[in-house]
Amino acid sequence: MDKRIVKTRKNIIDVFLQLLEEKAVSHITAQEIIDLAEISRSTFYQHYTDVYDLLDQAEDAIFIEISNLLKGYTYEAIKADPLRLFTELFFYFQQNAKICLVLINKNGGITTGQRISKMIQNKFKHEWEALINCENEFLTHYLSQYIITGFVGILQKWIEGGMKEPVEDMAFVTRFFINNSIENIKNEMEVASEMSTFKEKIHSDAKGFAGGVLNETSALIDEKSADIQKKVEAGLNIAIGRLAQRGNHLQTEQSTSAAEKEHKQQKLLKKRTELDESTKRKLPS
């Protein structure tokens, strides 16, 4: 590329970064950049369509360099020496502190941090999964997300804090957190697996025990049911017999009562007849 083009682009980007330190990209105009960079409008639009295109190209330049840095790492390299990868990444951001700080902070929008996360995830997706070495796809996916997001968060805080801590210390801390996260998750999964096996055994034993108890209970219920049925039938027979006796008794009482009533009526009729005859005798003839 022509040195004059490189110099012009650098001038425009420097002015743009200066403005990003003061306000959000949505409040920056192309005219402000043109005035501060002391270039013509045609020169600006020769390189960029608008301010957002300038932001995208500035980000792209960073990501191309990061991507080139990451190309030299495989799963074997990370597993053998993860500290080297983190050291190189922190060193790169330290060397490009100004533009990285502006692009990652709120004035540059949230896309930069997301793009860094996505780039690392895409580049090392299989490497992370192999490093985690977990058969559970669900946990592997979210653990890799957790690790990558954590790394970008540490990186961002370090840059925003002025990068006071040495690169080597930050790389060591990052490796420490990631390794411990992976080991803790694996240990938890082993415990969970053992607990699951233990619970399955208890469930199986309990199921067998419950089945035996259920069979015994069912037999006992059948026995008790037969006994109860016999007692109910005996009770019903007794009740039926008593009802029959009571019916006969009532019938006898009713017969006796009818005979007494008829006897009383005959006596009454007899008395009336005698009274009529007595009355007739007393009357004058």
Side-chain angles (χ1 to χ4, degrees):
M1 186 180 292
D2 192 296
K3 290 183 178 180
R4 289 175 296 178
I5 295 176
V6 173
K7 184 177 180 180
T8 300
R9 282 178 173 266
K10 184 179 183 305
N11 183 29
I12 294 173
I13 290 176
D14 287 343
V15 169
F16 178 55
L17 294 176
Q18 179 183 337
L19 290 172
L20 275 177
E21 290 177 353
E22 302 170 1
K23 51 189 172 181
V25 64
S26 58
H27 295 154
I28 298 174
T29 65
Q31 190 59 52
E32 286 180 286
I33 298 172
I34 290 167
D35 293 340
L36 288 173
E38 297 180 348
I39 57 175
S40 65
R41 291 180 62 84
S42 61
T43 299
F44 178 86
Y45 288 108
Q46 181 182 348
H47 299 285
Y48 310 103
T49 57
D50 55 26
V51 173
Y52 289 98
D53 181 46
L54 171 56
L55 175 62
D56 289 341
Q57 289 196 40
E59 284 186 339
D60 289 342
I62 292 294
F63 291 119
I64 288 172
E65 293 181 0
I66 295 175
S67 179
N68 290 334
L69 185 153
L70 297 177
K71 283 180 181 178
Y73 287 91
T74 61
Y75 163 66
E76 289 77 13
I78 297 173
K79 187 175 182 181
D81 187 13
L83 193 61
R84 181 168 170 262
L85 168 63
F86 299 132
T87 302
E88 282 204 46
L89 283 170
F90 278 103
F91 181 75
Y92 172 82
F93 283 100
Q94 184 185 59
Q95 294 299 108
N96 299 272
K98 185 176 181 180
I99 187 170
C100 291
L101 176 60
V102 173
L103 292 179
I104 288 177
N105 72 12
K106 62 181 181 180
N107 288 337
I110 62 172
T111 59
T112 305
Q114 291 177 341
R115 287 183 68 185
I116 292 173
S117 298
K118 194 69 176 177
M119 177 185 295
I120 296 174
Q121 180 186 358
N122 290 339
K123 168 61 182 175
F124 296 113
K125 181 179 186 297
H126 299 297
E127 284 78 359
W128 286 125
E129 293 176 357
L131 197 61
I132 293 167
N133 192 25
C134 171
E135 295 180 358
N136 190 313
E137 292 183 5
F138 173 81
L139 288 178
T140 298
H141 172 71
Y142 283 100
L143 180 55
S144 62
Q145 289 289 331
Y146 170 77
I147 291 171
I148 294 167
T149 304
F151 167 69
V152 174
I154 291 173
L155 179 65
Q156 183 172 344
K157 286 297 180 183
W158 179 64
I159 293 173
E160 291 175 352
M163 297 174 289
K164 298 174 183 177
E165 297 81 9
V167 166
E168 293 77 9
D169 290 354
M170 295 306 302
F172 178 83
V173 167
T174 302
R175 184 186 65 172
F176 175 79
F177 286 152
I178 290 176
N179 285 348
N180 275 274
S181 296
I182 293 173
E183 289 304 318
N184 287 336
I185 291 294
K186 285 183 177 180
N187 291 337
E188 290 292 336
M189 288 180 63
E190 288 178 2
V191 172
S193 177
E194 292 175 0
M195 285 298 295
S196 177
T197 303
F198 180 65
K199 287 180 180 179
E200 287 177 2
K201 186 177 184 305
I202 290 178
H203 179 72
S204 178
D205 292 346
K207 189 175 180 180
F209 175 75
V213 171
L214 183 61
N215 291 335
E216 292 178 5
T217 304
S218 178
L220 183 61
I221 289 173
D222 290 341
E223 182 181 342
K224 291 293 182 182
S225 296
D227 185 50
I228 291 171
Q229 186 175 358
K230 289 179 181 178
K231 289 182 179 180
V232 170
E233 289 176 354
L236 286 173
N237 290 333
I238 292 171
I240 290 171
R242 288 178 179 176
L243 286 172
Q245 290 177 357
R246 180 61 177 166
N248 293 334
H249 180 68
L250 287 173
Q251 188 175 6
T252 302
E253 287 181 349
Q254 288 177 353
S255 299
T256 303
S257 177
E260 289 178 352
K261 185 177 181 180
E262 185 178 357
H263 179 68
K264 286 180 181 180
Q265 287 179 347
Q266 289 177 355
K267 284 179 67 177
L268 181 60
L269 181 60
K270 183 178 179 182
K271 285 183 179 182
R272 285 181 179 177
T273 302
E274 290 175 353
L275 182 61
D276 289 342
E277 292 178 354
S278 175
T279 301
K280 287 180 180 180
R281 284 196 298 266
K282 290 180 181 180
L283 291 174
S285 53

